[in-house]
Amino acid sequence: MTEPAAQPSGAVWLTREGLNQLLGALRAQGYEVIGPRLGEGAIIYDRIQTIEDLPAGWTEEQEAGRYRLRRRQDDALFGYNLGPQSWKKFLHPPVLRLFSAEKNNGEFRILPPDGESPRYAFVGVRACELAAIAVQDRVLLGDQFVEPNYEARRKELFIVAVQCTRAAPTCFCSSMGTGPQVQGGADLVLTELSEGFVARAASARGAEVLAAIERRPASAEECRQAEEAVAAAAAQIVRRLDTRDLVRRLYEACESPHWDDVARRCLACTNCTMVCPTCFCTTVEDTSTVTGDRAERWRKWDSCFTESFSYIHGGSVRTSVRSRYRQWLTHKLASWVDQFDMFGCVGCGRCITWCPAGIDLTEEVKKLLAPV
Amino acid sequence: MLRGLPRKPRIAVFKFASCDGCQLSLLDAEDELLAVADAVEIAYFPEASRRMLKGPYDIGLVEGSITTHHDAERIQQVRRQCRTLITIGACATAGGIQALRNWKDANEFVRHVYARPDFIQTLKMSTPIAEHVPVDGELRGCPINKNQLVELVSALVAGRKPNIPTHSVCMECKRQGTVCLLVARGVACLGPVTQAGCGALCPRYGRGCYGCFGPMEAANPASLSEIFRAQGRPNDAIVRDFRNFNAWAWQFRQASEEAERA
Ligand code: SF4
Ligand code: SF4
Ligand code: SF4
């Protein structure tokens, strides 16, 4: 290795082989490397070994209620925007056994938890997704009660961000101030150009990993091209959400007749909350075997769109779909701010694309706030 | 409903108009069956055992719909004999596939199908058990899911609430990471209006949900029909989508009739 170690601020050039070495270096450090790959009908996040696993030459078309995989003209590895899954699937798993217990000869015993939490390295995290992880950090770690399962996964996490060089019509990160430029929270930040990547270490850990792989300083021209590519993505963003005075204006729209209009279309299917990278709600289920000698407690993703979600003694608080959609939207964009000093929406647009009814929060907000 | 069950509750399994598939789910739970047989007394289960003990029973599982005068009388007796009555499967909970007759003239079917129509006595309609007697709980599905059955029995024995969700199939897709067929491939999938419980089996294998588990809580089939129509699905196909195993469940009934009129 003749090159000097990269400075946290110094941009370097990585070839695709360099990226492959990066994946190998992360695995050698004991990380379980997770990245984009082609799933059944969409780009999903899953375990990856080498760059061969990445969705080379694939992209997607997105609009409200519709997603289609498409071939690109080139073989870009990160030439798509976002699929249905988010990284919360790993940091805040959809289904998790919290504990199990056993009864043996009249003796009751709580069994030790299922071994160690995985050490993840995420590759291909977008700017809005970094912001979403920051939101979940605030919710699950930022107060007096810390969620231990999330904490165990989060504190070991290594993040390789890849900046967007295109935007989907459903994206509105610029309205929420979260993208498309990566602002912070990553260990390494990559921008893909046709032959390779401009890479920058954003943490000491990032610099250390970068130092171990083949690279050279990026030229001024390459840095300029990378900046231009991200600017081009920003210029493609068409969706907007006007956040000025949004909290107050939404609360004032609490009795708007437009909630009924949404409720006519809404399926209460929960897809929006499942795909949202910031939604964190869970339910807890206790199970026991038929012989009664083993019991388990499971935690599962839940949603404010179900009836049981607001069930308290005597019944559900939110019996109408109108009240559930209102709960969801006003939590994302108003009461979340009261609770956590930030929006619960990062503008990724997943809830727009993956709503079978194509319900689009940016459009609904416009209608809710329109003077009557 | 669960309070005061004896240590070893007596279970009875009754059959009405049905294909036996749901009862077979109990036999199919081989691994768990021995434990079940240990935890409960199977007092009456003609499909499985010749031993038929007299009632009353602590738990009655009822499969099948009411399609004859005889059924209509027998379900009253069954109800009287069971402290807790649980309906299992689409026939018992919604009237089953045989409820398709409810839109037609049953006598005409009898004339066409049977060599001696005069031997056949049948009601005009196939109706769910709950239209005849009060029901304490239900397991949906065509057939039911054996894990839900084991969960139900385990919960009843332990005196706890069974974990039988009433939300959509979509939630099961998302929790297991199945990519949405409706959004990503334009497949007509009934998942958004169908109750969970199957583990999103069909979507996992690339087939749209057929709605075996019937309408979920707060089902909005009118909106789903709109979505199907916008994707170019003809109304007669939408009628058939909803007129299936759970055709007579009122939400699906309304949706198919609305599509028929459209
Ligand atoms: S807004 Fe869309 S995705 Fe969310 S519950 Fe309603 S129909 Fe389902
Ligand atoms: S509310 Fe919708 S756009 Fe906002 S972060 Fe969640 S999924 Fe993305
Ligand atoms: S495939 Fe069907 S059940 Fe699954 S999320 Fe999509 S619409 Fe819902």
Side-chain angles (χ1 to χ4, degrees):
Chain A
M1 198 91 18
T2 50
E3 301 286 343
Q7 300 301 309
S9 57
V12 299
W13 176 258
L14 288 188
T15 59
R16 287 190 165 193
E17 182 40 38
L19 177 67
N20 212 19
Q21 288 181 12
L22 172 65
L23 302 185
L26 289 169
R27 280 197 297 135
Q29 290 195 15
Y31 287 108
E32 197 172 324
V33 182
I34 310 288
R37 66 190 303 164
L38 206 57
E40 294 283 328
I43 291 162
I44 59 166
Y45 295 149
D46 202 355
R47 278 169 194 84
I48 55 168
Q49 306 285 329
T50 70
I51 59 166
E52 294 299 314
D53 294 326
L54 298 172
W58 286 97
T59 189
E60 83 280 72
E61 263 171 36
Q62 300 196 49
E63 58 184 88
R66 190 171 187 278
Y67 175 105
R68 290 293 182 275
L69 276 176
R70 291 282 179 255
R71 291 302 309 197
R72 284 175 63 95
Q73 308 286 359
D74 59 18
D75 64 346
L77 300 175
F78 297 91
Y80 60 90
N81 283 107
L82 295 166
Q85 303 180 346
S86 71
W87 307 97
K88 87 172 173 185
K89 153 180 168 191
F90 301 98
L91 295 176
H92 186 52
V95 180
L96 186 70
R97 178 162 47 206
L98 296 179
F99 71 80
S100 41
E102 234 177 33
K103 199 167 69 181
N104 221 336
N105 296 326
E107 214 181 292
F108 176 79
R109 205 159 67 90
I110 303 271
L111 301 174
D114 298 335
E116 288 192 6
S117 301
R119 272 181 91 210
Y120 289 125
F122 293 166
V123 177
V125 181
R126 304 301 193 184
C128 65
E129 299 187 298
L130 284 166
I133 292 172
V135 172
Q136 290 215 323
D137 285 353
R138 170 67 188 85
V139 173
L140 299 171
L141 307 176
D143 258 319
Q144 59 177 327
F145 300 109
V146 163
E147 205 292 279
N149 300 289
Y150 183 85
E151 185 188 33
R153 290 163 172 74
R154 180 66 179 98
K155 70 167 194 274
E156 294 289 334
L157 177 63
F158 189 99
I159 299 181
V160 182
V162 178
Q163 304 201 89
C164 290
T165 52
R166 73 191 280 274
T170 41
C171 297
F172 59 104
C173 56
S174 43
S175 293
M176 306 313 291
T178 59
Q181 299 88 350
V182 166
Q183 291 155 11
D187 294 296
L188 288 174
V189 182
L190 271 50
T191 311
E192 186 172 26
L193 297 177
S194 53
E195 302 294 316
F197 299 86
V198 172
R200 188 162 54 74
S203 73
R205 283 197 305 175
E208 203 180 301
V209 173
L210 209 51
I213 62 177
E214 234 172 80
R215 74 207 176 281
R216 61 163 170 77
S219 70
E221 172 60 15
E222 285 156 352
C223 291
R224 193 187 57 76
Q225 279 181 19
E227 254 171 55
E228 262 174 19
V230 180
Q236 275 179 21
I237 293 172
V238 289
R239 259 192 176 67
R240 302 265 179 271
L241 183 70
D242 181 3
T243 58
R244 278 171 306 167
D245 207 13
L246 186 55
V247 175
R248 186 187 58 80
R249 291 193 300 154
L250 267 180
Y251 284 152
E252 278 176 13
C254 161
E255 295 300 341
S256 164
H258 188 67
W259 300 112
D260 293 311
D261 183 78
V262 186
R264 262 194 301 280
R265 289 171 280 141
C266 178
L267 300 154
C269 62
T270 78
N271 279 306
C272 48
T273 50
M274 298 286 111
V275 297
C276 179
T278 71
C279 277
F280 55 84
C281 286
T282 53
T283 185
V284 167
E285 275 179 17
D286 287 336
T287 67
S288 57
T289 53
V290 72
T291 48
D293 48 18
R294 194 184 163 88
E296 294 182 347
R297 173 162 292 179
W298 289 83
R299 190 187 75 185
K300 297 177 171 180
W301 283 355
D302 200 3
S303 167
C304 47
F305 281 89
T306 71
E307 200 166 290
S308 59
F309 185 86
S310 66
Y311 186 89
I312 54 172
H313 172 78
S316 272
V317 175
R318 295 185 205 104
T319 50
S320 68
V321 174
R322 172 192 199 267
S323 63
R324 295 183 208 160
Y325 187 83
R326 184 173 68 181
Q327 154 64 26
W328 178 73
L329 189 84
T330 54
H331 192 212
K332 291 274 138 190
L333 298 173
S335 48
W336 205 295
V337 180
D338 296 338
Q339 261 181 303
F340 304 115
D341 276 321
M342 46 170 45
F343 285 116
C345 171
V346 298
C348 73
R350 281 188 181 87
C351 58
I352 304 173
T353 300
W354 297 96
C355 171
I359 294 171
D360 171 353
L361 80 170
T362 65
E363 287 299 317
E364 306 311 335
V365 165
K366 272 186 219 148
K367 291 186 180 127
L368 286 162
L369 302 187
V372 265
Chain B
M1 139 188 178
L2 308 173
R3 203 148 317 139
L5 274 189
R7 279 196 82 80
K8 202 166 170 174
R10 305 180 83 214
I11 291 200
V13 185
F14 302 97
K15 173 188 156 66
F16 288 82
S18 60
C19 76
D20 291 28
C22 291
Q23 298 186 51
L24 285 174
S25 302
L26 188 57
L27 294 175
D28 187 34
E30 281 166 47
D31 298 338
E32 300 85 355
L33 195 63
L34 288 175
V36 170
D38 223 30
V40 300
E41 181 187 357
I42 309 232
Y44 181 88
F45 188 4
E47 176 110 3
S49 159
R50 253 176 296 165
R51 192 177 75 135
M52 293 187 236
L53 303 179
K54 281 217 169 70
Y57 311 105
D58 297 300
I59 302 167
L61 301 177
V62 177
E63 177 197 88
S65 69
I66 304 298
T67 58
T68 65
H69 296 287
H70 179 240
D71 285 349
E73 279 160 28
R74 189 161 61 97
I75 189 61
Q76 301 296 335
Q77 290 168 20
V78 166
R79 175 68 266 194
R80 278 196 292 275
Q81 289 182 12
C82 300
R83 287 176 67 187
T84 300
L85 189 84
I86 313 272
T87 48
I88 60 169
C91 299
T93 60
I97 192 79
Q98 59 273 27
L100 289 178
R101 71 158 73 163
N102 300 2
W103 282 274
K104 302 277 187 236
D105 179 357
N107 286 328
E108 205 176 313
F109 288 134
V110 170
R111 274 200 302 280
H112 282 95
V113 173
Y114 295 97
R116 292 291 306 270
D118 49 317
F119 281 14
I120 306 294
Q121 276 195 334
T122 186
L123 295 170
K124 282 190 165 55
M125 312 261 266
S126 167
T127 46
I129 302 299
E131 279 191 26
H132 299 264
V133 295
V135 166
D136 301 302
E138 60 178 26
L139 286 185
R140 303 279 196 81
C142 184
I144 56 166
N145 174 303
K146 90 170 187 201
N147 299 324
Q148 282 205 332
L149 184 63
V150 173
E151 163 63 12
L152 176 85
V153 174
S154 307
L156 288 174
V157 170
R160 66 173 169 84
K161 180 171 154 281
N163 296 306
I164 308 289
T166 54
H167 55 67
S168 70
V169 175
C170 298
M171 204 153 169
E172 297 191 303
C173 272
K174 289 294 182 287
R175 281 182 185 154
Q176 71 192 17
T178 300
V179 174
C180 179
L181 300 164
L182 187 53
V183 170
R185 295 197 224 162
V187 172
C189 177
L190 288 191
V193 297
T194 300
Q195 180 167 305
C198 61
L201 196 58
C202 292
R204 206 185 325 147
Y205 290 97
R207 296 296 305 257
C209 167
Y210 293 99
C212 309
F213 275 61
M216 62 108 154
E217 58 176 40
N220 186 354
S223 172
L224 190 64
S225 299
E226 258 327 296
I227 296 165
F228 287 177
R229 246 174 243 131
Q231 294 189 345
R233 198 162 175 81
N235 276 312
D236 58 337
I238 297 175
V239 173
R240 287 194 300 274
D241 291 336
F242 288 109
R243 219 164 267 182
N244 219 319
F245 324 101
N246 289 282
W248 201 242
W250 71 265
Q251 299 93 326
F252 286 7
R253 191 197 320 169
Q254 233 174 37
S256 73
E257 289 174 357
E258 189 239 5
E260 211 165 33
R261 283 192 303 269

